[in-house]
């Protein structure tokens, strides 16, 4: 049944009050706190319809109602107005992130900031190598038969690997290899690198091919290895702030999910440009998170998405404020990466 504007306003008021008070909401409280322009009896009738349609429920025998997952979804899709951050909030975000000294600092400042601003659990994915490009490759001699390969991505991510050579290489050999690998790979997307690395070996002179093959093997591990995706997590203690109805009475499944990096990457790593994804309760594919909501988005320089970030908390969440904060922080992190 399509809901008329008054019933939608009643649902909006129930969601806003329950998020703010953590208490089931009754018709008398709604009339007192909101300018609905109708009597408590009319509000009770509207609440009965909303309950019948599955948008609110009665958690126990009190007169109060709480939103269901469907009620929150309707609120997010049709009723919520994204809260604009104040100039002071924007300046605070900009100042806090601008003080970062390197990529690790950017990520850790970002995850702490998200947790503090939203009062939820925050997760930030390091820029993914599979979405990055090569800025520069450095070869540092450690001995005549051992090199340190340093790969710097355009996102500021730095990867280091040891290269064991099949025989001694002098300084000129190392400089020549560095010139060749940078000429071939600098500016290229890491996802496009494997055939270019193979070309380095194919085009090398026969007497140096074994040495280049050893370097190429380590290069491939560095450039295309996906198992090294990294995450930062903050604000787990925020999960304990809620009431008895949050997480259906048990935090254990949520805490177990937060320990699984693969789950967290699935939550925030699969993002599309310019979209903010909100998954509420049963919309989560992961069973342990069916009592939680996740707000996530992608970030990166310009229109390029190199990683995801987001927050996780109870379905009783300030969705407008959380969505605005996640978007704003992602935009500032992207600007930082673009500048550096």
């Amino acid at each position: 049944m399509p809901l008329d504007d008054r019933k939608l306003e009643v649902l909006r008021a129930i969601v806003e009050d329950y998020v703010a008070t953590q208490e089931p909401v009754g018709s008398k409280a709604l009339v007192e706190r909101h300018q609905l322009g109708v009597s408590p009896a009319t509000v009770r009738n509207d609440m009965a319809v909303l309950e019948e349609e599955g948008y609110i429920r009665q958690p126990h025998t009190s007169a109060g109602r709480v939103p269901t997952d469907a009620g929150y979804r309707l609120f997010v899709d049709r009723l919520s107005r994204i809260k604009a951050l104040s100039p002071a909030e924007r300046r605070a975000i900009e100042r806090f992130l601008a003080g970062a000294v390197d990529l690790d600092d950017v990520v850790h400042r970002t995850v702490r900031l998200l947790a503090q601003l939203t009062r939820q659990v925050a997760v930030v994915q390091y820029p993914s190598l599979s979405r990055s490009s090569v800025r520069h490759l450095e070869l540092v001699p450690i001995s005549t038969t051992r090199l340190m390969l340093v790969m710097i991505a355009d996102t500021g991510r730095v990867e280091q690997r040891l290269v064991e050579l099949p025989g001694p290489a002098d300084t000129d050999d190392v400089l020549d290899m560095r010139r060749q690998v940078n000429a071939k790979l600098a500016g290229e997307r890491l996802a496009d690198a494997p055939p270019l690395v193979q070309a380095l070996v194919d085009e090398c002179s026969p007497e140096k091919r074994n040495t280049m093959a050893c370097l190429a093997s380590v290069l491939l591990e560095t450039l295309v290895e996906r198992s090294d995706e990294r995450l930062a997590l903050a604000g787990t203690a925020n999960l304990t702030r809620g009431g008895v109805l949050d997480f259906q009475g048990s935090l254990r499944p949520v805490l177990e999910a937060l320990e699984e990096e693969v789950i967290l990457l699935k939550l925030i790593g699969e993002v599309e440009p310019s979209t903010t994804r909100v998954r509420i309760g049963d919309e989560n594919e992961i069973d342990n998170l069916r009592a939680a909501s996740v707000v996530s988005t992608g970030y990166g320089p310009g229109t390029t998405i190199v990683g995801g970030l987001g927050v996780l908390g109870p379905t009783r969440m300030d969705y407008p404020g959380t969505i605005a904060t996640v978007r704003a922080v992602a935009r500032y992190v992207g600007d930082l990466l673009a500048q550096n």
Side-chain angles (χ1 to χ4, degrees):
M1 177 192 297
L3 299 178
D4 58 38
D5 289 346
R6 191 185 68 224
K7 292 182 181 65
L8 290 173
E9 280 302 307
V10 170
L11 177 61
R12 184 210 300 277
I14 291 170
V15 171
E16 291 177 349
D17 277 14
Y18 182 56
V19 168
T21 67
Q22 303 182 28
E23 296 290 338
V25 183
S27 57
K28 186 169 181 288
L30 286 178
V31 171
E32 290 173 352
R33 285 198 285 255
H34 299 271
Q35 305 299 315
L36 298 174
V38 292
S39 68
T42 301
V43 171
R44 279 195 295 275
N45 289 335
D46 288 341
M47 291 172 72
V49 173
L50 290 169
E51 187 169 9
E52 188 177 334
E53 294 296 316
Y55 294 114
I56 60 175
R57 64 184 177 87
Q58 189 173 23
H60 41 73
T61 54
S62 73
R65 303 293 189 275
V66 300
T68 63
D69 291 354
Y72 286 123
R73 171 50 62 190
L74 185 60
F75 175 79
V76 169
D77 289 346
R78 291 186 55 188
L79 302 176
S80 63
R81 305 179 184 97
I82 302 302
K83 294 177 184 174
L85 298 185
S86 70
E89 288 172 320
R90 292 183 180 279
R91 283 195 300 273
I93 293 173
E94 191 170 6
R95 276 199 305 272
F96 188 71
L97 294 180
V101 296
D102 57 21
L103 181 63
D104 275 330
D105 201 12
V106 169
V107 171
H108 286 103
R109 282 172 179 257
T110 300
V111 78
R112 292 203 314 273
L113 181 67
L114 266 179
Q116 289 166 9
L117 292 176
T118 64
R119 302 182 75 194
Q120 309 291 355
V121 180
V123 186
V124 177
Q125 177 189 16
Y126 275 76
S128 172
L129 288 181
S130 62
R131 295 174 179 153
S132 304
S133 297
V134 178
R135 179 183 292 172
H136 182 71
L137 287 154
E138 188 59 60
L139 298 176
V140 182
I142 295 174
S143 70
T144 57
T145 58
R146 180 179 285 184
L147 302 175
M148 176 69 77
L149 167 66
V150 183
M151 192 278 293
I152 304 169
D154 60 344
T155 54
R157 183 162 171 177
V158 178
E159 294 292 317
Q160 301 181 56
R161 299 284 193 281
L162 278 175
V163 183
E164 299 286 349
L165 302 178
D170 60 27
T171 302
D172 288 342
D173 291 335
V174 174
L175 290 173
D176 191 43
M177 282 194 295
R178 183 177 66 182
R179 179 188 57 76
Q180 290 178 58
V181 295
N182 277 293
K184 184 70 73 174
L185 297 173
E188 299 291 340
R189 292 179 65 247
L190 273 67
D192 301 330
L196 300 175
V197 173
Q198 184 57 49
L200 280 169
V201 179
D202 296 340
E203 296 167 9
C204 192
S205 60
E207 65 272 14
K208 295 181 179 178
R209 190 161 293 160
N210 285 344
T211 301
M212 184 62 81
C214 288
L215 175 60
S217 175
V218 177
L219 263 174
L220 285 173
E221 289 176 16
T222 309
L223 297 173
V224 302
E225 202 173 62
R226 303 270 178 104
S227 61
D228 62 348
E229 299 292 8
R230 295 162 58 199
L231 293 165
L233 184 74
T236 306
N238 286 332
L239 294 174
T240 63
R241 291 187 305 103
V244 69
L245 294 177
D246 287 348
F247 305 112
Q248 298 170 2
S250 175
L251 268 177
R252 184 184 179 115
V254 179
L255 293 173
E256 288 176 349
L258 290 176
E259 291 180 355
E260 296 292 334
E261 198 160 279
V262 173
I263 289 177
L264 297 179
L265 278 170
K266 189 173 182 62
L267 286 178
I268 67 159
E270 300 171 357
V271 285
E272 298 296 327
S274 305
T275 60
T276 303
R277 188 161 61 178
V278 181
R279 278 170 295 189
I280 300 169
D282 283 337
E283 295 171 358
N284 285 300
E285 299 171 8
I286 297 144
D287 287 341
N288 282 5
L289 296 179
R290 294 287 169 87
S293 286
V294 180
V295 178
S296 60
T297 192
Y299 73 88
T303 58
T304 304
I305 298 299
V306 297
L309 57 80
V311 300
L312 177 148
T315 54
R316 183 190 56 79
M317 179 185 289
D318 172 17
Y319 291 99
T322 301
I323 292 169
T325 301
V326 167
R327 284 179 178 174
V329 170
R331 188 167 59 250
Y332 280 112
V333 175
D335 290 345
L336 263 183
L337 294 180
Q339 292 165 18
N340 295 304

